[in-house]
Amino acid sequence: MNYIDEYFDKINNENLKKFLKKLLEYYFSPSFGSTKQREFDIFLFSLLKEYGFFDNKDPSLFEVISKLQVTRNKAKNLIYESNLRFNKDNLDEKVKQELKHAKFLKYDGSMIGLDIEDPLLIDYLKDRLKKLGHPTDSSYSNQILKVTPDAYISLLDEYLDKDIKKKIIEELERNGLIHDKSFKGVAKLILKGLTSKIIGSASDSLIEEYMAPLFDGAIDKVAELIKAGKTDEEIS
């Protein structure tokens, strides 16, 4: 059984009718067969994403390559063009997800990596960082964006909810752990604590473990991180 058979086994009649209606409307606009092949491919790909041909609406590069039997470059172009035309409104939400799953590229905490397959998202994030005054480096890998801790902190400041940032500062102040009440100052202490922990555990997944909950408002581990990055003299 191939991927098309699997798809028709799971799609329901109502979604199939919607899929076909959108496809025909597009192909008939402005007249039958007038759409360029490249434009049609991009639109059809967007429909396949929308109506469950892939495992989720943001399929991995490998899934696109394997299911459509196309080259890597063709798959990247389809993802890029489709997201640019039909899915660009949720780029900021995607950035938040990437910030949750960042990794330390060096155990001293001096470089952070964002592993991003979506080429449009890479371009968008580079532009955001440039506007915030931070350079980026993708020479390490064509899908791993290297950023400095300061750049990562600037993104946290941009994308973490205002109320969550306020809660973090209030919690740390209540525990007598901070003097600098700016969020960027607090974020530097958080990353310092993460660096201390990663040296002890040799785990590169600590950013995800501690940062991901922050985006959902869970701040219970923040004090632990600040303490991890401070000496006994600093805590007392």
Side-chain angles (χ1 to χ4, degrees):
M1 182 181 288
N2 60 30
Y3 294 120
I4 296 175
D5 291 332
E6 291 176 358
Y7 181 53
F8 277 94
D9 280 347
K10 68 182 180 181
I11 191 171
N12 62 49
N13 287 337
E14 190 58 35
N15 279 339
L16 188 57
K17 285 194 289 185
K18 290 178 182 177
F19 182 104
L20 185 57
K21 182 175 185 293
K22 288 183 179 181
L23 187 65
L24 291 177
E25 285 176 344
Y26 187 83
Y27 196 72
F28 275 71
S29 178
S31 62
F32 182 86
S34 60
T35 305
K36 293 180 180 178
Q37 181 66 48
R38 178 169 174 270
E39 299 298 319
F40 183 74
D41 287 350
I42 294 165
F43 184 75
L44 178 55
F45 178 67
S46 74
L47 287 183
L48 290 173
K49 290 197 299 178
E50 182 179 355
Y51 287 97
F53 182 76
F54 301 103
D55 292 341
N56 58 65
K57 291 187 178 182
D58 284 309
S60 69
L61 191 60
F62 176 77
E63 186 183 10
V64 175
I65 291 169
S66 59
K67 285 190 173 180
L68 300 188
Q69 296 293 292
V70 294
T71 64
R72 180 183 177 86
N73 281 340
K74 173 76 171 179
K76 287 179 73 172
N77 286 335
L78 283 170
I79 292 170
Y80 191 99
E81 295 287 351
S82 172
N83 286 339
L84 180 62
R85 297 174 195 212
F86 307 108
N87 205 25
K88 62 182 178 183
D89 290 341
N90 71 342
L91 286 172
D92 284 323
E93 190 55 41
K94 288 184 177 181
V95 171
K96 288 182 184 180
Q97 296 306 313
E98 297 301 336
L99 293 177
K100 292 180 184 181
H101 306 306
K103 306 282 187 185
F104 283 116
L105 295 180
K106 296 182 179 180
Y107 284 119
D108 62 1
S110 62
M111 193 60 67
I112 293 170
L114 301 169
D115 190 351
I116 306 171
E117 285 195 337
D118 183 343
L120 177 62
L121 186 60
I122 291 175
D123 286 350
Y124 178 71
L125 195 46
K126 282 182 175 180
D127 183 65
R128 290 302 305 267
L129 284 165
K130 184 178 179 181
K131 288 173 180 174
L132 290 170
H134 297 285
T136 57
D137 181 2
S138 54
S139 60
Y140 181 82
S141 163
N142 59 6
Q143 70 180 50
I144 294 180
L145 196 63
K146 292 196 298 184
V147 299
T148 63
D150 282 344
Y152 183 76
I153 286 167
S154 289
L155 289 172
L156 285 179
D157 193 32
E158 287 281 305
Y159 284 99
L160 259 184
D161 184 82
K162 193 182 341 181
D163 290 335
I164 292 174
K165 291 191 289 186
K166 184 180 176 184
K167 277 171 61 180
I168 291 171
I169 292 171
E170 287 174 350
E171 173 69 13
L172 295 175
E173 192 177 12
R174 200 163 34 242
N175 284 277
L177 292 171
I178 59 168
H179 301 292
D180 182 352
K181 294 182 183 179
S182 72
F183 178 75
K184 285 189 175 182
V186 168
K188 285 182 180 180
L189 294 176
I190 290 173
L191 283 188
K192 184 180 176 185
L194 279 169
T195 303
S196 298
K197 281 186 169 291
I198 201 171
I199 291 171
S201 69
S203 170
D204 65 353
S205 63
L206 281 171
I207 294 182
E208 182 173 349
E209 179 183 338
Y210 284 90
M211 284 298 182
L214 292 185
F215 284 87
D216 300 317
I219 64 168
D220 51 302
K221 289 187 175 182
V222 176
E224 174 192 334
L225 285 178
I226 301 296
K227 289 176 182 176
K230 291 193 171 191
T231 63
D232 291 339
E233 291 80 9
E234 287 175 318
I235 292 174
S236 59

